[in-house]
Structure formats: structure tokens, C-alpha cells
Amino acid sequence: MRKILLLIVFACTFFTFSMATETIELWFHSGRGAERDVIQDQVKRFNEMQDLVEIKAVQLPEGSYNDQVQAAALANKLPDILDLDGPNMTNYAWGEFIIPLDKYIPEDMKTDFLPSILKQGTYSGSIYALGTFDSGLAIWGNREYLDKIGARIPTSVEDAWTMEEFMDILSKLKNVEGVVYPLDLKLNYGVGEWYTYGFSPIFQAFGADLINREDYMSADGILNSPEAVAAGKWFADLFKMGYVNPNPAGDADFIEGKSALSWVGHWAYNQYKEAFNDNLVLIPMPKLGNPDGIYKGQATGTGSWCWGITSGCANPYGAWLFLEFILRPEEIVKMTDANGAVPARLSATKLSDPYGPNGDLSLFVAQLQTIGVERPVTPAYPIITSEFMKALDDIVNGVDVKEALDYAVEQIDLDIEDNEGYPM
Amino acid sequence: MLLNRKHRAALLFILPGIIMLTIFIIFPFFMSFGLSFTNQRLISKLPTKFIGFENYERLFGDKVFIQSLLNNFLFAVIVVPIQTSLALGMAMLVNKKIKGVKIFRTVYFMPTVTTMAVVAVIWSFLYNPEGLINNFFHTISFGNWTTVDFLNDPLWAFPSIMLLSIWQGAGFQMLIFLAGLQEIPYSLYEAATIDGAGSWKKFTNITLPQLKNTTSFVLISTTILALRLFDQVQIMTNGGPRNATMTVILHLYNSGFQKQKVGYASAMTVVFFLIVLGISIFQRMILKEEREA
């Protein structure tokens, strides 16, 4: 008995000594396999290379990640470092759950970031979150099918397909042997953030938006404007005309050749490249709308997951050390090579093969610099996205477009009113 | 003295249960009751404010809430009788003294021990336009079957969820009925056979009356489970299409976690609790349990 007691005392003493390195807890969403592996490897290498802090990484499933983080915030159980989906950052910053990072970021590092990364991470003049990568949204094409119908393959943002061309190509592709649904919109992802990220650019290209960005106080006359209704009708027609599968059985419609075009983000790159190699083409977002509209008729999504430090973190400097590590250009490239995303820093872009000047994916960088529209930077974002995706789902399922959008506007405006306009 | 010691032991035994119930059920309920009168948001820097009955007023004008209540009732009204009769039928089948009956018991019980999340994902594949069910009907009708997108069709989505729920839940009810059936003294059946009763007579005059307590338990618990419908719809349809499969718990979860309206979601829990309580009391009054003295 005494021996065991002694052992316990000894173990405790040892434990206390080894606690000299501070533990920093980190939560991240378990994204695609390759992405997950890179983060775990980075945590491992960071822990080995220094002994000031010890990162303890916890991964949570992506589908309910934000719900879990919000619940933890309410219960004051947040970890030290958080992985956040870009547009959700504002809500946490407004609620004072994450802290500004400005004092840690050196000036030369700041100017090295893509403008879209800084835009997404900035709320009321301070940077609250930084991502290691940005996203790219465009259309992947199967060259074999496109050649069969003699489609023109655009190579730059400026010579993107016009609305007439796009519809003509879809109708021709519909008749190509092997093609079941010409366009793959990845509805298999389910009604979630993908809807807002992937399809709000349609509304913006048509000249509408999710909310009035002048003061973020109302969506009325913006999300239910005639332009928005036109965008919604066009979207619904894609399904009615049989161009898009409303319920794909899995993720592989494009790879299996059932679809000729795949409207999806950068993350499909590695998988598609492996399947098609030189038969894969990246096509810029088409010019869907009025060139005189707010977004000049063409738009793409921006923003991605990013990192923030919570206000409850006892050692924010220690936490920053880890962020500084994963934000190094060579570490950024490790991540973007794994997931195909756009490197967040210009110096990292130079180290990356696909994002080099003639790389496969340089179009994403060009798009981000010209037609990228960030999702609204406002604490009201959770309600905006939740109502928008619901409205789109209703539209796909045959609800009157105007009715669905009016309902979304009503709910968004009510929420902003309930929160007294989200004062800073 | 003896009685006192007995009491003490009883108290000791119910203590863990009481503590758990208090922490996880009673305390949270009173908290939601309190929160339902406030504007509490999940994440906010605005102070929590008392807003009286505003959440409740809004609730009764919320067309999604009304729709989800109706859906819950529809689900209970259709699923409870079917599931209960099916479970009783299965229990009587596996109560027969045939060789290998244990295998059947296990097979019937298997859906119940499988996690609902797993069941829901697998059934989504089955219900897919290119899935097994459509292909099956296509084959047996020699190609005359028009493909149905079960989960995306407002007409089919809810019945599809119901079918899966019945399949998944009936095994558990079967087990309870089986226990009830084995309690029935065999002598009753023997006496009935001597009196010349057929199997239908035996069923209506011996089996059913003897199973009264079991049936009332099964009915009440199935009703409560039906009203709590969440997992399947969250995974398979997320309440869609057009709110055809929206349920109160799903709407509550979405309001609280996605839209961050904790106060509003709390008001919903209070109203829903009162409704479920009312239904349970009503059922208990009708299906009064018989206790042996």
C-alpha cells in the first residue's frame, strides 16, 4: 500500500515539473483528410521544435463545428486557439470571444497577405483572425465533352462565358452521350454554408446582394430586389431544365462523367486532377448579369477557414507563436499543396507550383483580385447565411422565388432589430 | 426503527437518480423557463434583457413552428399505432417455440441497436433516385416505375421518414411486448383450448387483456419518442423540402444554435413541454395501469 502511495506522490511531483511548458488547447474542424494530416503534422513538429508551449489539438466534425463552438462560447469553455470559418469571425469578435491580433503582426508580414484575407479578418479596424489560405470558386470542365460540342474555353476572368454562351453550352452538353446532368452544383454537400459561399455570387452577378453593405442594417430591397428574384428564377430554372441534379447520390458525378462541368471550390483540385489529368480545365465564373450592376455582372466567392485566439486564453503570446509558425510561407505551401487552396501570402504563392504564374490554378488568384466578393462582414452573418440557404433550398424545391426571399429578408431584418443593430 | 432503516436505504438508492435528474432535466428546464422571457442570444455583447411575453407572442405567429407542431402530431398519429401493432406481431412471432427463434429475435432487434445516425445515412442512399428502392421498383415493374426522389419530394419525404422510423423503432417495442407475453401464464391458454377457443379468441380474450400494462407503457413511450423526432430529419432532410419534415425539436435546435436565438428557442421548449405533458397525462388517464395489490 505504502509503495503505491509513494509512487503516486512521485508521479505527481514529476507531473508538476513537466507542467513547466504551458499547454495551449486548439480546436479545429476536421476537413478533408489531407488537410487534417497537415495540421496534425504541424502541431507535432511545432511541439518538438520548442518547449515553451505544448499545443493540444482537438478536432471536431465540420458539419456541427460552428454550433459546438457557439455552445462552448456561451458556457465559457472555449479553447485558446480556434479555427473559424471566415464569415463567422465577426460574430465572435463582436461578442468579444476572440482578441485583436494587431500587436503581434509585424508590418512586413501584414503587407504580404492577400487583401481578401485581411478583409475577411478585420472587424471595426482590428485584425481578429488570419487564415493560411483563401478559397477559389470557379467551374471545372471536362475537356473531352467541351471539345465535342465545340465550346470555347475561356482562359481569363475577362473573356469568361457570357450568359448566352453558358446557357447554350449547357443545352448542348445535355445532349452529349454519357452526360446526365451537364452541371454539377455539389448539392450533395447538403444545405449548409456551401449554399451561401457557392451561390450568393450568382445573386451578386445579377446585381443583388445578401444585405445592404453600407450600414448592414437591412436586407430589404437588396435580397428581395427584382435582380435577386431574377437570380433566384435563373437558379431554379437550372433544375427545371434538367441541367443540374437536385439530389446527387454522391460526390463523384463529375469524375464519373455524368456531369461535364463542376461548379465547386479549389478543394476539388487534387481529386479531379488525379482523375482527369490534362483533360481537366479551370473555367472562370461566367458573366451572368448586368455589367452596370453593383458587381459588374460577374462574381466569385472568397474567404475560408482562419485562426483566432480566444479572450479566455491565458497565454496569447504562446498561442501566437503557433499561429506565426503555421503562417510561415513554407508551412502555408504544405497546406495548400494538400488542399489545393490559394496560399494566403504572396511570398507563399511564389513557392507554390499550381499557383505560380503559369500554374494550373493561377486563375483563382486572378479571380480573387478582380471579382471576389467577401461574404458580409457583420455579426448578423449567422442569420443571413442561415436564412439565405433556407431560401435557396425552398427555391430549388419549387417555392415562389419572391415569397422565399421576402421571408428571408423579414427574418434577417427582425434579427438585426432584436440585436439593436449590433452596436460596436 | 426497522422502517426508518428501510427508508434510509431507499433514499440512498434514489439519490443518484435524483441528482442526475436535477442537474440534467429539472435545473435546465427552470433555466429555459427563465430564459424564455429574455432576449438571450448565444453570442452577444448586449446585456440580457427581460422582454416579457414577446417570445411567446412571436411563437404563435411563427408559421414554421405551427407547421412543425402539425408534422409532429401527424407523425405520432400515424407511426404510434402502426409501430405498436407491428411490434406486437413480431413479438408474438418470436415467442413461438420454434428452432432458431433466437436468431429471428436478434435480427428483428438489430435496427434498434444500430445508431440512428448510421441508419439515417444508409437509408438516404436507399431513398436516392439512383438508390436501391427506386431500382427495385423499376425492375419489378419492368421499367414502368417513374423514379421518385423520395427525400426531396414534399409529398414523399415525410412518409419516407416515417417508414424508416417504424423500421428502426419497432424492435425495441417488440422486446417489451415479448417480456409481457412471457409473463402470461400458459395455463390460461390451456384452459381456453379445453373450452374450444380458436386462436383469434385467445388473442382478443387472453393476450390483449393480459398485455394491458405493457401496451399502455409502449403507447406512451412511443408517443413521446415520436414527438421528440429529430435525428432522422436533421440528417436526411434538415426539415425540408418546404418544411415538409420540419419538427419542433429540429426547429428549436436551428433557432437556438444556427440563428442563436436562445430566448426564443427556450420559449419553444416551454410550450412544447406543456403540450407533451398534456398528452402524456391524457394518455395515462385513458390507459389506466392496473397494479396488483
Side-chain angles (χ1 to χ4, degrees):
Chain A
M1 186 65 200
R2 184 176 284 176
K3 253 188 194 163
I4 295 172
L5 263 175
L6 234 111
L7 207 72
I8 292 172
V9 171
F10 180 72
C12 287
T13 330
F14 183 76
F15 189 64
T16 328
F17 276 123
S18 66
M19 284 294 279
T21 55
E22 232 171 302
T23 306
I24 290 201
E25 203 182 335
L26 170 153
W27 284 4
F28 71 103
H29 79 285
S30 59
R32 280 143 199 91
E35 216 171 284
R36 202 158 57 214
D37 294 343
V38 172
I39 294 183
Q40 272 162 347
D41 175 61
Q42 283 172 332
V43 168
K44 192 167 153 259
R45 279 185 294 119
F46 179 76
N47 283 339
E48 278 164 8
M49 68 180 239
Q50 49 76 45
D51 40 35
L52 287 168
V53 285
E54 165 93 20
I55 302 286
K56 200 180 131 226
V58 177
Q59 51 172 313
L60 302 168
E62 174 166 4
S64 56
Y65 183 81
N66 197 43
D67 299 347
Q68 294 189 48
V69 172
Q70 285 178 347
L74 188 68
N76 268 324
K77 289 274 190 311
L78 282 178
D80 302 291
I81 302 178
L82 261 188
D83 173 26
L84 299 167
D85 199 359
N88 290 328
M89 176 281 295
T90 332
N91 189 33
Y92 293 105
W94 179 68
E96 292 165 357
F97 287 99
I98 51 177
I99 58 169
L101 305 175
D102 301 83
K103 66 174 172 183
Y104 302 114
I105 310 171
E107 196 53 36
D108 57 327
M109 184 179 180
K110 201 167 150 180
T111 50
D112 192 33
F113 274 103
L114 286 179
S116 55
I117 288 285
L118 296 178
K119 239 186 207 169
Q120 127 175 303
T122 306
Y123 175 65
S124 79
S126 304
I127 298 176
Y128 280 88
L130 284 172
T132 57
F133 52 83
D134 203 333
S135 60
L137 171 71
I139 302 173
W140 298 96
N142 182 327
R143 193 191 294 272
E144 204 187 306
Y145 285 141
L146 291 171
D147 284 348
K148 243 180 219 167
I149 59 157
R152 179 179 72 86
I153 296 176
T155 50
S156 72
V157 180
E158 293 75 40
D159 71 357
W161 287 334
T162 61
M163 181 61 124
E164 293 72 39
E165 258 184 307
F166 189 41
M167 295 315 279
D168 180 51
I169 285 165
L170 287 178
S171 77
K172 281 181 181 157
L173 283 171
K174 180 81 188 168
N175 298 319
V176 171
E177 207 192 312
V179 175
V180 189
Y181 294 100
L183 182 65
D184 169 24
L185 286 181
K186 291 287 178 201
L187 292 202
N188 55 299
Y189 290 168
V191 184
E193 190 58 28
W194 164 243
Y195 276 51
T196 312
Y197 172 78
F199 310 133
S200 64
I202 297 172
F203 284 71
Q204 285 142 359
F206 270 80
D209 205 346
L210 297 172
I211 190 167
N212 183 347
R213 295 197 194 222
E214 263 164 38
D215 53 7
Y216 294 105
M217 286 299 153
S218 170
D220 197 21
I222 307 284
L223 184 54
N224 56 357
S225 63
E227 289 88 352
V229 175
K233 284 206 168 114
W234 178 77
F235 190 69
D237 283 346
L238 289 178
F239 297 88
K240 277 190 205 132
M241 292 192 280
Y243 293 160
V244 181
N245 183 356
N247 188 10
D251 202 29
D253 278 8
F254 181 66
I255 287 184
E256 287 171 0
K258 289 185 200 156
S259 293
L261 300 169
S262 183
W263 176 299
V264 69
H266 63 260
W267 53 86
Y269 172 64
N270 286 333
Q271 193 193 358
Y272 284 180
K273 184 78 187 168
E274 206 173 290
F276 292 98
N277 214 348
D278 288 341
N279 255 335
L280 180 71
V281 283
L282 184 57
I283 298 159
M285 291 295 270
K287 296 175 177 169
L288 298 174
N290 177 3
D292 302 322
I294 6 177
Y295 295 107
K296 301 196 170 59
Q298 197 183 4
T300 189
T302 78
S304 197
W305 290 81
C306 52
W307 299 94
I309 299 175
T310 61
S311 44
C313 175
N315 182 3
Y317 178 69
W320 168 254
L321 284 181
F322 178 70
L323 296 194
E324 194 267 337
F325 172 71
I326 56 171
L327 288 166
R328 289 179 192 174
E330 61 274 19
E331 293 300 326
I332 288 178
V333 173
K334 282 205 180 81
M335 176 54 94
T336 57
D337 280 349
N339 68 3
V342 186
R345 292 174 67 172
L346 296 169
S347 55
T349 319
K350 289 184 190 123
L351 301 176
S352 156
D353 279 340
Y355 285 99
N358 288 317
D360 279 356
L361 304 175
S362 52
L363 180 74
F364 281 143
V365 184
Q367 281 200 141
L368 283 178
Q369 285 166 339
T370 48
I371 56 165
V373 180
E374 72 277 7
R375 284 162 281 176
V377 185
T378 159
Y381 186 75
I383 187 87
I384 296 175
T385 183
S386 154
E387 291 302 333
F388 179 70
M389 63 178 87
K390 182 98 200 349
L392 270 190
D393 186 44
D394 282 350
I395 289 171
V396 171
N397 286 307
V399 174
D400 177 68
V401 176
K402 176 85 170 121
E403 196 183 302
L405 293 175
D406 276 341
Y407 182 74
V409 165
E410 194 186 302
Q411 296 294 312
I412 292 168
D413 284 12
L414 187 67
D415 177 81
I416 295 173
E417 199 184 303
D418 282 349
N419 287 286
E420 297 161 29
Y422 292 96
M424 282 199 183
Chain B
M1 186 64 207
L2 193 75
L3 196 81
N4 210 346
R5 195 184 293 164
K6 241 186 182 169
H7 268 271
R8 219 183 293 157
L11 212 68
L12 208 69
F13 276 111
I14 60 168
L15 201 63
I18 293 283
I19 291 175
M20 291 294 195
L21 278 174
T22 312
I23 296 176
F24 292 108
I25 309 273
I26 300 170
F27 183 63
F29 177 73
F30 281 107
M31 257 181 86
S32 353
F33 186 72
L35 286 172
S36 70
F37 295 102
T38 69
N39 66 345
Q40 178 72 46
R41 194 170 179 268
L42 204 51
I43 288 185
S44 179
K45 77 171 179 192
L46 298 172
T48 305
K49 247 184 4 200
F50 178 80
I51 54 166
F53 283 93
E54 205 184 309
N55 283 329
Y56 290 92
E57 275 164 34
R58 225 179 248 182
L59 194 58
F60 293 112
D62 181 350
K63 60 175 191 182
V64 182
F65 178 68
I66 307 291
Q67 167 87 51
S68 46
L69 260 184
L70 289 175
N71 282 347
N72 270 116
F73 287 137
L74 187 68
F75 187 85
V77 165
I78 294 178
V79 168
V80 173
I82 298 182
Q83 194 172 336
T84 312
S85 347
L86 191 71
L88 180 58
M90 288 194 319
M92 288 175 54
L93 275 180
V94 299
N95 196 32
K96 291 253 156 54
K97 291 185 175 58
I98 326 166
K99 238 185 173 179
V101 78
K102 283 206 170 128
I103 296 173
F104 283 102
R105 275 183 208 167
T106 318
V107 169
Y108 290 155
F109 192 58
M110 231 142 69
T112 305
V113 282
T114 315
T115 318
M116 184 49 102
V118 176
V119 171
V121 170
I122 290 171
W123 278 71
S124 322
F125 291 133
L126 298 182
Y127 280 137
N128 190 277
E130 295 161 43
L132 191 86
I133 296 177
N134 270 306
N135 274 324
F136 172 74
F137 284 123
H138 199 76
T139 312
I140 61 161
S141 67
F142 301 105
N144 290 319
W145 170 261
T146 18
T147 304
V148 177
D149 191 349
F150 290 103
L151 294 177
N152 277 331
D153 187 322
L155 229 97
W156 282 99
F158 210 33
S160 306
I161 299 268
M162 288 176 185
L163 179 67
L164 150 126
S165 310
I166 292 171
W167 176 81
Q168 203 263 354
F172 178 64
Q173 266 67 293
M174 173 196 83
L175 207 67
I176 298 170
F177 272 128
L178 189 61
L181 284 175
Q182 289 177 347
E183 286 281 295
I184 304 175
Y186 194 64
S187 55
L188 290 178
Y189 290 106
E190 269 175 348
T193 314
I194 291 164
D195 290 344
S199 37
W200 178 250
K201 275 252 152 100
K202 281 189 221 164
F203 175 70
T204 49
N205 291 314
I206 302 173
T207 314
L208 278 187
Q210 288 286 320
L211 280 179
K212 200 180 170 205
N213 285 352
T214 319
T215 313
S216 72
F217 171 77
V218 167
L219 277 178
I220 292 172
S221 65
T222 318
T223 309
I224 292 175
L225 281 174
L227 293 171
R228 246 176 34 185
L229 181 64
F230 174 75
D231 305 30
Q232 304 91 299
V233 285
Q234 209 260 350
I235 293 167
M236 299 174 78
T237 59
N238 205 3
R242 304 168 76 160
N243 294 328
T245 59
M246 185 59 82
T247 67
V248 175
I249 304 287
L250 182 60
H251 185 41
L252 199 156
Y253 173 85
N254 286 345
S255 305
F257 286 97
Q258 279 186 355
K259 303 182 190 168
Q260 311 207 0
K261 298 173 189 299
V262 174
Y264 185 65
S266 299
M268 221 183 290
T269 58
V270 172
V271 170
F272 194 52
F273 170 77
L274 292 177
I275 292 173
V276 174
L277 188 72
I279 292 173
S280 306
I281 292 174
F282 178 71
Q283 274 189 330
R284 278 200 82 95
M285 271 161 50
I286 292 186
L287 309 161
K288 225 177 200 162
E289 206 170 313
E290 281 165 12
R291 285 200 187 276
E292 285 166 49

